[in-house]
Amino acid sequence: MKCSAFFAVHATLGSLQLASAMPHQVRADLDSCLNAARLSTDFPGSSGYASASLAFNRRFHYSPAAIVFPASDNDVAVAVTCANSVNLPVSARSGGHSYAAFGLGGHDGSLIVDLSKMKTIKVNSDQTATVQTGNRLGDIALTLFNSGGRAMPHGTCPEVGVGGHSGCGGFGLDSRLWGLLLDQALSAKVVLSNGTLVTASSSENSDLFWAIRGAAPSFGIVTEYRYKTYPAPPSNIIFTYSYTVSPTTASSIFSAYQDFAKASAPPTLGLQASIGTPKSGNKVSIALTGVFYGSKADFNTAINPLLAKVPQPQSTNIKTYGWLDSLQVLGGQGLNTTIIPDGSDTFFAKSLMVPQETPMTQASIKSFFDYIGNQGASSDTSWFVLADLFGGQGSAVSAVPKDATAYAQRNGLINFQMYASSSNNAPPFPSDGLAFVNNMFTSITSKMPSDWKYGAYACYTDPTLSASEWQKRYYGDHYARLVSIHQKYAPNSVFRYPQAIGS
Ligand SMILES: Cc1cc2nc3c(=O)[nH]c(=O)nc-3n(C[C@H](O)[C@H](O)[C@H](O)COP(=O)(O)OP(=O)(O)OC[C@H]3O[C@@H](n4cnc5c(N)ncnc54)[C@H](O)[C@@H]3O)c2cc1C
Ligand SMILES: *[C@@H]1O[C@H](CO)[C@@H](O)[C@H](O)[C@H]1NC(C)=O
Ligand SMILES: *[C@@H]1O[C@H](CO)[C@@H](O)[C@H](O)[C@H]1NC(C)=O
């Protein structure tokens, strides 16, 4: 699917298309079911509908059948039952930050269950946290810390929703220390395709619990999670070592990063390579950056083996923060999402998960940096590449047994995210933007053996992948088990979207 072309079609047809495409009887039956249940709903044509239909990624524009705003688990169940009665697809929306607008269904005509009214967060006496899925990550972090100095691992952007994030992974710089967000789940309340509310945990509906930890959107709407929490570390050292160098030097720096990542980085070290280009010349900018959770002395011991293998940085920035301040610095904004309104972007991104057993060869590293050096400065997109360390010695992400959850990338060492936006973050997305990112991706894969078993991080949803590609890259050999659990819980699933299990 060429999504830039897709956008153009939808931009001109707008929401009128849906009204004519949906049979009158379905429209009438859906509306009367939702109205009878007194659910707060934006129908097409109502005053809130246009803004409630906007995706975070403005490369996409979809027209839902309606958007409901439940206030309770029961409301969610009723909404799903209404959609089921007219056989309309349903998608939940938590923070709306899906890369492919799957929180709007990823196509026209879904019933959207927007969870934004379900924002309870509670730290229990056993230090677990009960979190409704309408919450955003920043508000969760604030509330946990203000309830006895607690913390959880998750991504850095405060506006991302916990519902989507926890369903596909949930990676932050603290994940090597504590794991992914989905690894913290102890139980979940889930509304199934037939409108039944069930609990999923290791002792109740354990197969469903397995499936929602990696592929939640296909199995139901999680209304609430109970998570493990941790004492927030008092000392959080944010560090950046920056270079602007030739592609050849950047390759050797990256190579040292990969070696260190695999063999020496302790789990208290969150680390990434942040890669870009200056606006002119055949140069590459690369920064080795991250957070160390611990003392200055232990940080020096941890980072020195890496520093010994790379040139003297052109600039260095190291500063120690308390927990909430460190999250604000990483997120680049305040954590309270009521105060800071949500943004948007117009972008395409791809993930490449480099496996621990077969890391990148020198030839593939060189090919990637040559591509960046040659093409990066002249791209009409605004782009970045982040190569996040997921695995390595002692990483809590890789420590979870491979088959313990549906998340299938436990052997991932480094997760590349190749991300290109339109230059002003608004539509249209440049017509050569997809090719720019795709060629960056193949600059690596084309230099690796043809049977290289790389993966992709499902949270960095790539709607251009074919069915066989996303099934294999996101879910690997867990896909067959996901299909069989899906048949049990959702034989005629209403949770249909472009990359749903079994679709
Ligand atoms: C700016 C930005 C920064 C990001 N940073 C990170 C990061 O640091 N680390 C990281 O790991 N990821 C990161 N991501 C990716 C992010 O984890 C995913 O996009 C995630 O799916 C977003 O969740 P959401 O609830 O905001 O999205 P939504 O669009 O609301 O949902 C995403 C998907 O999950 C489904 N879903 C939502 N709620 C539920 C629910 N309660 N039950 C079942 N299914 C549900 C939706 O139907 C949709 O298919 C980032 C994304 C963006 C846009
Ligand atoms: C965010 O700010 C609002 C308005 O001041 C406040 O009501 C709310 O409790 C704050 N949220 C969190 C999670 O602290
Ligand atoms: C809904 O589906 C679940 C799981 O398949 C099943 O246990 C339950 O009985 C079903 N509920 C109804 C009302 O059919």
Side-chain angles (χ1 to χ4, degrees), residues 56 62 74 171 233 276 306 386 455:
F56 174 83
Y62 296 119
N74 188 55
F171 175 86
L306 174 61
L386 286 179

Side-chain angles (χ1 to χ4, degrees), residues 268-426:
T268 40
L269 189 69
L271 186 61
Q272 62 187 194
S274 170
I275 297 157
T277 42
K279 271 296 160 204
S280 64
N282 188 252
K283 293 272 188 193
V284 174
S285 56
I286 175 166
L288 302 174
T289 178
V291 186
F292 183 78
Y293 304 96
S295 72
K296 198 71 197 285
D298 289 346
F299 170 58
N300 288 332
T301 308
I303 203 79
N304 280 342
L306 174 61
L307 296 181
K309 293 283 164 61
V310 292
Q312 182 73 25
Q314 284 143 342
S315 90
T316 296
N317 195 340
I318 302 172
K319 210 168 158 199
T320 306
Y321 297 90
W323 178 246
L324 288 183
D325 285 345
S326 78
L327 298 186
Q328 282 210 33
V329 169
L330 295 173
Q333 65 171 75
L335 301 175
N336 185 323
T337 68
T338 310
I339 295 169
I340 311 230
D342 208 352
S344 63
D345 197 359
T346 302
F347 70 100
F348 173 60
K350 268 188 120 59
S351 154
L352 193 171
M353 187 72 85
V354 175
Q356 190 119 354
E357 315 80 70
T358 45
M360 287 166 70
T361 57
Q362 297 301 322
S364 71
I365 294 173
K366 177 80 167 50
S367 166
F368 170 71
F369 284 104
D370 282 344
Y371 178 81
I372 300 246
N374 288 326
Q375 308 292 325
S378 58
S379 169
D380 52 359
T381 66
S382 161
W383 63 272
F384 64 81
V385 174
L386 286 179
D388 275 304
L389 177 54
F390 273 47
Q393 285 249 317
S395 164
V397 180
S398 352
V400 176
K402 177 179 162 295
D403 295 331
T405 66
Y407 178 81
Q409 304 297 327
R410 299 291 175 189
N411 68 343
L413 177 65
I414 289 172
N415 182 25
F416 272 85
Q417 168 167 220
M418 301 159 181
Y419 187 113
S421 308
S422 69
S423 56
N424 64 355
N425 305 104

